[in-house]
Amino acid sequence: MLNNLLAGFTQLFTLKTMLFVIIGAVVGLLAGAIPGLNDTNILTLFLSFILFIDPFPAVILMTAVFISCQTAGSIPAILVNIPGTPSTAASTLEGYALTKQGKAGQALGCSFASSLMGTVLGGIMALVLAPIIGKYALSFGPPEMFMLAIFGMTAVASLTGNSVSKGLLAAVLGLLVGTIGLDYFIGVTRSTFGVAELYSGIPQIPLLLGLFGVGELYSLIKKKSIGTGVQATDAPDVKSQMEGFKAAFRYKKSMLLSAVIGFVVGVIPGTGATIASFTSYGTARSISKEPEKFGKGHYEGLVATDTSNNASVPGSIVPALTLGIPGSGTTVLFISAFLMHGMQPGPSFFSEHITEANSIFLTVIFVGIIATFVGMVMAKHMVKVVSLPTHILAMLIAMFCLMGAYICRNKVNDLFIMLAFSILSIFLKKFDYPLPAFLLGVILGPIIEPNFFRALAISDNNFSIFFTRPICIVLWIMCLAALAMPKIIALKAKKKKEAESAV
Amino acid sequence: MKKKLPWGELVFLLAILGYVLYYFLSVRGYGSRAVTWPYVLMVGTVLAVVAVAVEVIRKAPAKEEVQTPEGEEAPEKKTGFKAFLENSLSTLVIIVSFVIYTLLLKKLGIHLCNFLLSFFLVLYISKGKWLTALIAAAVVTLSFYLVFGLALGLRLPKFKLF
């Protein structure tokens, strides 16, 4: 293991790769600080450019953007009460309360320290656990891989939206759209509308840019300015941030527990950083010696949310690399980046690319450190980024989407494909269908179908193979649990509300 | 009490069924290996559409009866296609501008198209700040030319109207 780790270090610490790490960290910090843009949007815009970069630096660049986006998302949450990324919504609870007390710098320092520890602890857990999961996953055959993908989709479909049936419809529609193009066995065309660009399947970059780039643009142009109506506080200096930085380490127990919660929640498909941060906040409050201070600007709450939020990121990368099952919409982009470069994340990834996998987790840790210190220095200027005018931001997104969709294959029809998916995203969003579930279906579709047929070939076309193998049975149970989870959570919440109103 | 049915969502669900029908017709008659999995998914989609339709109809709110005092006229409430158009105008403008960009790309070349679209977008969204639009469009066009045309050396569509 140590040898692999050293090899990962050697591969990461080259001049070229480090340059990508620094670029990714700075871009991620700036993008994460803009409310309305999230890690998924930014990584989508990046996807079209990484085609021109070697596979390894490309993935390192995306990892750097992903991590630093999470760190920076807390900045507008703390300063102006608007989360930079959806997962930093919990940071507003304590962070903005501290800002209102005139402790913006201290709150930012505390947030940076927590983000740093969350990323570092999450990265270490990933480095230790991922190879173990990867080794175990090698024993998975086609039926297990098929069921694993079905479980990932079920979990994302039922846990990311407000309605299980809408989530399932989005997922199964995504799977159906994922079968467009030449079929895997006979080579006949399926549902291509006579468009030659669709023969090789739905092109991923126009799809992603349509769903997350142009789709976001439509909602953005309706807002005059993202930061309108809120006053940015005085720019925080490094000295006050250092006070908060030190204060965070007074709550080591909450920090450690939140890192573990964040990592574990991150590993579960469909959950992600938002659930992780709210879960940790609740847990920290229940174990705190001063629970009455929560909600009024307490460092411990901020430590819990920001540590957990950042620890969930390496957690979500683990199933994407080891099992080929992305835990969130953002990690789907990771899988896309690998696929574009001819690498297939999944059980064999750790045996074939152990050095690269270790380098990715080392990048997580390294970017966590860079983003913290660069963020502390840049925080003063980020207040300006928060209030970037909508007309400039929207125009930039539009131009990057159009250029990105065109340059990936130099085909004009790809722009129409992007536009078609952007229109679909309007309706999916309007009627509250989870976009990640649809996207996961399209991306996993071409992986699921071959495994489905291989499993049937092994069993001589006997469908019982999906119900009799032990791992398949466990995965069926997990699918049912994922489907039942929203109902159980709703029932619990209802009971709690009833109990509270009775008192 | 009568329910206010979410017609928009029901039409969306019908459109999904329409797509499934198109898919079915496009693969009808193919060998079973090519269509087994899509058939499973088509059945799954139809079942999910039915489940969602039942859910949205069941959860549809009751129709509100607007009561106005005698002698006063009820305030005009914008509904239907007109309201939809007003709410979606900016989205429609963006979509149309993207379509025009795409159609003109091969004729005008990518850089001129980039300039015109970025100028139009800033002008439209900022509601008439033409100087900002001009500067922003020039900066973006020049940056894209430097990055994509010169640094990355990509073969991009050039102006060939004449």
Side-chain angles (χ1 to χ4, degrees):
Chain A
M1 189 189 165
L2 208 62
N3 284 343
N4 291 329
L5 206 62
L6 279 175
F9 259 115
T10 320
Q11 195 165 18
L12 178 64
F13 287 95
T14 61
L15 192 67
K16 190 181 171 188
T17 321
M18 288 315 293
L19 189 69
F20 282 113
V21 169
I22 293 166
I23 292 172
V26 174
V27 171
L29 274 173
L30 290 171
I34 301 171
L37 275 186
N38 58 35
D39 41 8
T40 316
N41 305 137
I42 291 300
L43 286 176
T44 308
L45 296 179
F46 258 83
L47 262 187
S48 37
F49 301 101
I50 61 152
L51 278 176
F52 304 99
I53 307 172
D54 293 335
F56 179 66
V59 176
I60 293 298
L61 178 68
M62 290 191 69
T63 313
V65 176
F66 191 10
I67 299 292
S68 49
C69 250
Q70 296 296 328
T71 305
S74 297
I75 297 172
I78 290 167
L79 293 181
V80 290
N81 203 23
I82 302 172
T85 56
S87 55
T88 50
S91 308
T92 58
L93 299 172
E94 302 299 333
Y96 189 60
L98 280 164
T99 298
K100 283 198 287 190
Q101 293 168 19
K103 294 179 182 171
Q106 286 84 339
L108 275 182
C110 177
S111 165
F112 281 130
S114 312
S115 300
L116 171 69
M117 290 314 291
T119 314
V120 170
L121 292 172
I124 292 170
M125 283 187 262
L127 269 174
V128 175
L129 293 175
I132 300 168
I133 300 171
K135 205 173 174 182
Y136 180 67
L138 273 176
S139 61
F140 283 22
E144 286 83 8
M145 284 312 296
F146 172 79
M147 278 308 303
L148 197 63
I150 295 292
F151 164 67
M153 298 218 41
T154 314
V156 171
S158 64
L159 299 175
T160 49
N162 296 325
S163 153
V164 176
S165 54
K166 285 187 180 183
L168 288 176
L169 175 56
V172 78
L173 184 66
L175 280 173
L176 191 63
V177 171
T179 61
I180 287 177
L182 290 174
D183 104 274
Y184 187 71
F185 291 99
I186 307 170
V188 295
T189 55
R190 302 184 299 201
S191 181
T192 55
F193 298 92
V195 178
E197 279 78 5
L198 291 176
Y199 281 18
S200 52
I202 297 284
Q204 287 186 6
I205 292 180
L207 163 86
L208 291 161
L209 288 171
L211 287 178
F212 292 108
V214 186
E216 194 59 43
L217 178 70
Y218 296 141
S219 18
L220 199 66
I221 50 169
K222 288 179 182 158
K223 299 169 190 165
K224 193 184 170 196
S225 173
I226 307 154
T228 304
V230 279
Q231 289 291 315
T233 50
D234 294 331
D237 57 3
V238 177
K239 195 185 165 194
S240 62
Q241 287 183 68
M242 279 311 290
E243 283 173 32
F245 196 89
K246 285 176 195 159
F249 289 96
R250 273 188 248 142
Y251 306 99
K252 291 188 189 81
K253 194 178 158 190
S254 285
M255 196 180 257
L256 203 63
L257 190 65
S258 303
V260 175
I261 291 174
F263 183 80
V264 173
V265 173
V267 170
I268 303 167
T271 47
T274 312
I275 295 178
S277 51
F278 278 105
T279 310
S280 297
Y281 183 76
T283 312
R285 189 178 183 167
S286 62
I287 61 159
S288 173
K289 288 174 189 163
E290 305 156 315
E292 72 284 352
K293 287 188 179 174
F294 276 69
K296 295 169 190 162
H298 190 30
Y299 288 123
E300 194 173 4
L302 193 58
V303 166
T305 54
D306 285 24
T307 307
S308 180
N309 173 21
N310 283 269
S312 72
V313 177
S316 67
I317 298 175
V318 169
L321 291 188
T322 54
L323 305 169
I325 304 297
S328 63
T330 321
T331 40
V332 172
L333 303 174
F334 261 79
I335 293 201
S336 298
F338 280 105
L339 293 175
M340 279 174 207
H341 285 293
M343 291 154 91
Q344 172 77 62
S348 56
F349 186 81
F350 264 79
S351 53
E352 289 167 12
H353 304 285
I354 180 77
T355 314
E356 284 83 358
N358 279 332
S359 297
I360 290 170
F361 293 125
L362 287 169
T363 306
V364 168
I365 297 172
F366 189 61
V367 170
I369 298 167
I370 292 185
T372 300
F373 294 107
V374 174
M376 283 178 82
V377 176
M378 281 170 59
K380 215 171 182 176
H381 311 287
M382 280 192 182
V383 181
K384 289 170 197 157
V385 177
V386 170
S387 46
L388 189 72
T390 310
H391 52 266
I392 299 291
L393 186 61
M395 181 270 285
L396 286 175
I397 293 175
M399 300 316 295
F400 272 107
C401 287
L402 287 164
M403 284 299 283
Y406 181 77
I407 61 171
C408 66
R409 299 199 299 179
N410 282 354
K411 287 181 177 171
V412 173
N413 272 351
D414 280 353
L415 296 178
F416 285 118
I417 294 171
M418 177 185 79
L419 209 51
F421 280 106
S422 74
I423 293 169
L424 177 67
S425 83
I426 296 175
F427 293 104
L428 289 174
K429 273 192 207 168
K430 183 174 171 58
F431 300 127
D432 211 12
Y433 292 81
L435 276 184
F438 175 79
L439 178 64
L440 204 57
V442 185
I443 302 287
L444 287 185
I447 301 166
I448 290 179
E449 191 177 2
N451 279 313
F452 176 72
F453 276 109
R454 279 186 210 124
L456 286 180
I458 293 169
S459 65
D460 206 12
N461 285 334
N462 189 347
F463 278 84
S464 67
I465 193 167
F466 298 115
F467 302 94
T468 48
R469 291 171 66 125
I471 296 173
C472 288
I473 296 171
V474 173
L475 287 165
W476 273 116
I477 295 168
M478 285 165 74
C479 282
L480 292 174
L483 286 174
M485 196 64 85
K487 276 269 175 220
I488 296 168
I489 293 170
L491 272 175
K492 266 193 169 180
K494 196 180 167 189
K495 272 189 182 174
K496 198 179 171 188
K497 213 175 176 183
E498 279 172 3
E500 277 175 3
S501 59
V503 174
Chain B
M1 196 179 271
K2 274 190 177 179
K3 283 190 169 184
K4 192 182 170 189
L5 289 178
W7 287 110
E9 188 163 4
L10 292 174
V11 170
F12 177 62
L13 292 174
L14 272 178
I16 293 176
L17 287 182
Y19 172 66
V20 173
L21 183 68
Y22 163 75
Y23 198 122
F24 174 73
L25 293 175
S26 78
V27 297
R28 201 174 40 155
Y30 284 167
S32 69
R33 280 173 85 85
V35 287
T36 309
W37 181 238
Y39 276 172
V40 171
L41 296 174
M42 280 183 230
V43 172
T45 309
V46 172
L47 290 176
V49 164
V50 172
V52 173
V54 170
E55 188 184 302
V56 294
I57 291 172
R58 203 168 49 86
K59 286 186 178 172
K63 263 188 182 172
E64 281 175 46
E65 293 198 6
V66 184
Q67 290 183 343
T68 46
E70 249 177 74
E72 276 182 37
E73 276 184 35
E76 198 186 331
K77 199 179 174 185
K78 286 173 186 170
T79 52
F81 192 65
K82 199 179 166 191
F84 168 77
L85 263 186
E86 271 181 29
N87 288 334
S88 319
L89 185 67
S90 53
T91 306
L92 285 173
V93 168
I94 298 290
I95 292 173
V96 171
S97 64
F98 274 28
V99 170
I100 294 171
Y101 174 95
T102 308
L103 293 173
L104 292 177
L105 194 62
K106 292 275 178 184
K107 285 196 185 303
L108 295 185
I110 204 157
H111 299 303
L112 185 54
C113 282
N114 280 348
F115 179 80
L116 292 173
L117 183 69
S118 48
F119 176 76
F120 169 74
L121 286 177
V122 177
L123 193 69
Y124 174 70
I125 303 169
S126 67
K127 294 189 173 83
K129 289 184 180 169
W130 67 269
L131 190 62
T132 315
L134 198 67
I135 295 167
V139 170
V140 164
T141 310
L142 185 67
S143 314
F144 278 21
Y145 168 70
L146 291 174
V147 173
F148 296 104
L150 293 184
L152 290 174
L154 300 179
R155 285 181 63 197
L156 300 167
K158 287 181 180 152
F159 182 79
K160 51 181 173 187
L161 193 61
F162 308 109

